[in-house]
Amino acid sequence: MHFAFDRRTEMLRENLQDLMWSHIHPAEPVFEQQLGVLEERWAWDSVPVLDELRAEARRRGLWNLFLPGEEGAGLTNLQYAPLAEITGRSPELAPAALNCAAPDTGNMEVLSMFGTEAQRKEWLEPLLAGEIRSAFAMTEPDVASSDATNIATSIVRDGDDYVINGRKWWITGAMNPNARVFIVMGRTDPEAERHRRQSMILVPRDTPGLEIRRSMEVFGYDDHDHGGHAEMVFHDVRVPAANLIGREGDGFAIAQARLGPGRIHHCMRFIGVAERAIELMCARAEERVAFGKPLARQGVIRDWIAESRVRIEQLRLLVLKTAWLMDTVGNKGAHTEIQAIKIATPRTVQWILDKAIQIHGAAGLSQDFPLARAYAGIRSLRFADGPDEVHKNALARAELGRRATREAGSGSAHSFTPAARRHQ
């Protein structure tokens, strides 16, 4: 196993790190200032400094790095992983500056993989150019959306149209008026096989009957610098049948194809969040004095710093292994590892952020440091793209299935096959 990045990845890393230190980090306070005086507070992507950063990212060739193939940068998951980690050090600005911010990334992947030529022309091209934003409307308040087959919003064929009725919430980015289109998941055939009941359809924001009802808050944060999280209602929303993505009944499969890369992108970025938290933790420990000596000389503080480094190195290796498997054996072959990183990342990064907040004292809870907001974000990741319990259940089921397969093959309950051989 090779732990070094290839030449192209190293060149992109150097380029991106220079962009971060010379442009993005200095722009963070400017972004907050400009955001605070916006007439439309949800339209965070319209602040002037972001346009400047996007122009610089384009000039450097750091644009649409997340998307493989000719439409994007053509990077593998393994090549993109360390770049996404770097952008995680400035989660409000860096992903957007590179046009690599969720939920647009997942929506662009869906349109690239499953969209018709007309759909890609109308919606994918402006998304790739950073001219508009989008949202993904799946989660519902009235059903347990951790089981995507529960989604109850109805999508009913009526001649040359589909009519949509239902209620969604926690729709990230939907408060932003620049989110011009929604990918909506709903039920087209309640009588079909369980995983063929759902479909996905494109709904432009200005379609009659689409109501953005309110903004949802995460621990008191409304995330207006990400376009918020909306509750929205569809009242007899009528769109052309040509807006259907794929075929009727493809919705569940499309959702799984979208969520796999989405999960690893979140994990990559949050490693960057954790790295910045460790740096802040160390700086604070060295400058603050308590009981006659710097916090950095306190044994418990050193224990937290050491544990943070160990945990983040373990997590990074697991994420990189997952990226490598996605590249070599596909998302299905990497399913176990995708679940593992989705479980491990929030737990690990939340622990590190908690210790960083503790070292900062009351300041760690305030808006003067990015730690409290990051803590709210990582806690929400234990729900986003599937709650911990769902992933743990699936992971345990797979482990039990492998054991049963080994026993059936060997005829012995005492046979043992090292886990490391699973991917040989």
Side-chain angles (χ1 to χ4, degrees), residues 155-332:
I155 303 175
V156 178
R157 184 71 183 252
D158 182 24
D160 293 332
D161 297 331
Y162 280 100
V163 179
I164 306 163
N165 282 281
R167 183 165 150 234
K168 302 284 186 180
W169 72 345
W170 293 109
I171 308 307
T172 301
M175 297 299 297
N176 187 347
N178 298 325
R180 303 309 307 164
V181 66
F182 302 91
I183 295 180
V184 180
M185 184 168 175
R187 183 174 293 185
T188 45
D189 186 357
E191 304 304 319
E193 184 272 325
R194 183 164 169 256
H195 292 91
R196 295 289 304 171
R197 296 172 186 170
Q198 317 295 333
S199 300
M200 288 196 187
I201 197 161
L202 290 158
V203 180
R205 186 185 192 88
D206 57 2
T207 306
L210 192 162
E211 175 192 355
I212 307 294
R213 181 164 286 181
R214 61 169 176 160
S215 165
M216 310 294 297
E217 295 183 352
V218 180
F219 290 149
Y221 292 101
D222 62 15
D223 279 352
H224 66 281
D225 51 0
H226 281 138
H229 310 281
E231 179 183 351
M232 53 197 298
V233 180
F234 298 83
H235 302 279
D236 293 327
V237 172
R238 183 178 291 269
V239 297
N243 284 25
L244 191 74
I245 300 175
R247 301 166 300 170
E248 281 196 16
D250 286 350
F252 185 86
I254 293 173
Q256 295 308 302
R258 183 190 188 279
L259 292 174
R263 287 170 182 141
I264 194 169
H265 292 171
H266 280 311
C267 294
M268 293 166 178
R269 284 191 293 268
F270 268 105
I271 292 175
V273 170
E275 284 285 5
R276 192 166 185 185
I278 293 173
E279 290 177 6
L280 290 169
M281 187 189 306
C282 291
R284 186 75 169 185
E286 288 177 340
E287 70 186 26
R288 302 292 282 188
V289 175
F291 304 104
K293 59 182 178 181
L295 293 180
R297 291 176 57 191
Q298 304 283 355
V300 68
I301 303 299
R302 290 188 171 189
D303 180 81
W304 291 347
I305 292 171
E307 277 290 331
S308 297
R309 174 51 56 200
V310 170
R311 294 184 187 207
I312 203 64
E313 293 299 330
Q314 291 173 327
L315 181 63
R316 180 183 288 110
L317 286 174
L318 181 56
V319 170
L320 290 175
K321 178 195 175 186
T322 305
W324 173 74
L325 284 171
M326 291 172 71
D327 293 335
T328 54
V329 298
N331 293 2
K332 188 174 181 180

Side-chain angles (χ1 to χ4, degrees), residues 61-138:
L62 299 171
W63 189 255
N64 291 330
L65 296 176
F66 74 97
L67 191 62
E70 295 180 0
E71 291 169 324
L75 300 178
T76 66
N77 287 291
L78 188 59
Q79 290 173 318
Y80 179 59
L83 306 177
E85 176 184 329
I86 293 169
T87 66
R89 298 176 62 88
S90 183
E92 282 76 33
L93 264 186
L98 276 58
N99 209 36
C100 292
D104 294 323
T105 48
N107 294 338
M108 285 188 268
E109 287 166 341
V110 166
L111 289 168
S112 176
M113 290 187 289
F114 304 104
T116 64
E117 184 175 347
Q119 289 169 354
R120 290 196 294 268
K121 180 72 174 176
E122 184 173 7
W123 301 115
L124 178 59
E125 289 185 11
L127 282 168
L128 287 169
E131 296 169 356
I132 64 170
R133 293 191 64 83
S134 61
F136 182 66
M138 186 175 96

Side-chain angles (χ1 to χ4, degrees), residues 1 56 182 415:
M1 182 178 292
E56 180 64 17
F182 302 91
S415 63

